[in-house]
Amino acid sequence: MRLKAILGALLAVLAACDEPTVITHVFRMPNIRETDLVAMQGPQGIAVEMHGLPWEDADPAALAAAMKGPAGAAPIRFAHQRVMGPGAHGSRMVLHFNPSGPPNSDHDCSLTAPAMTGAPPAKGFTVNMTFCNGEKIEAHGFLRALETQPGDYEGFSTVMRQLLNVVFREEKDR
């Protein structure tokens, strides 16, 4: 029954997309809710640790600024003035763009050096998004955006919000 609900919700999200996206590897600790995103914010917002970029010449600060919290959530800001390097920091969102291997959130939360990434494709991108508290995973999801054009921060914002909506959606059977 739970798999059926997850597949139904995923199909609904995909049907509502303006462009093709694929979202997989979704996990959230049972005690983590979208309201916890508000608690993760420091004075500048949620710290963002980026590995790679979705496209060549992307601006990390503009990417963080384009991020929007889940639909219907309290206002959430992402710390675009404070994009972090790797290391076992406190609460943060780790974005591993175009990973060179399969999604690995355990690895992404414990990085002490830049992660291995593949070359950005001509269009679209992949990202493993992990919310970490130190080296502990709190939530994650993997997104493959197939049509986002390089430099399209609005399209980036749309697909990343879709990923956040799937990761932080409330399920009746949880």
Side-chain angles (χ1 to χ4, degrees):
M1 181 67 177
R2 182 176 178 172
L3 179 61
K4 193 179 203 181
I6 291 171
L7 289 174
L10 190 57
L11 288 173
V13 167
L14 292 175
C17 296
D18 292 333
E19 64 179 59
T21 59
V22 178
I23 298 172
T24 61
H25 296 81
V26 175
F27 168 79
R28 177 171 45 97
M29 294 296 289
N31 60 325
I32 301 297
R33 302 281 181 254
E34 69 184 25
T35 54
D36 293 312
L37 293 176
V38 175
M40 288 177 74
Q41 295 187 96
Q44 298 177 348
I46 295 175
V48 179
E49 178 182 324
M50 288 188 201
H51 298 271
L53 296 169
W55 58 80
E56 300 251 351
D57 301 323
D59 176 16
L63 293 170
M67 296 286 300
K68 307 286 185 259
I76 297 167
R77 293 183 335 264
F78 294 87
H80 57 278
Q81 289 94 2
R82 194 167 62 100
V83 174
M84 303 173 74
H89 305 287
S91 293
R92 70 203 183 281
M93 177 178 64
V94 177
L95 298 175
H96 186 171
F97 291 104
N98 304 309
S100 59
N104 186 340
S105 292
D106 286 318
H107 181 262
D108 289 351
C109 278
S110 62
L111 288 166
T112 58
M116 295 293 293
T117 61
K123 79 175 174 180
F125 65 92
T126 59
V127 64
N128 192 50
M129 172 193 286
T130 308
F131 286 88
C132 307
N133 187 0
E135 293 187 7
K136 180 182 167 205
I137 298 169
E138 298 197 330
H140 67 87
F142 182 78
L143 174 114
R144 182 178 308 277
L146 303 173
E147 297 293 327
T148 304
Q149 297 294 324
D152 180 4
Y153 289 93
E154 185 175 325
F156 172 82
S157 179
T158 299
V159 297
M160 295 301 283
R161 188 171 214 179
Q162 290 168 3
L163 178 57
L164 283 165
N165 285 339
V166 171
V167 170
F168 287 97
R169 76 175 172 269
E170 293 298 321
E171 294 181 31
K172 294 178 184 173
D173 62 344
R174 281 195 182 195

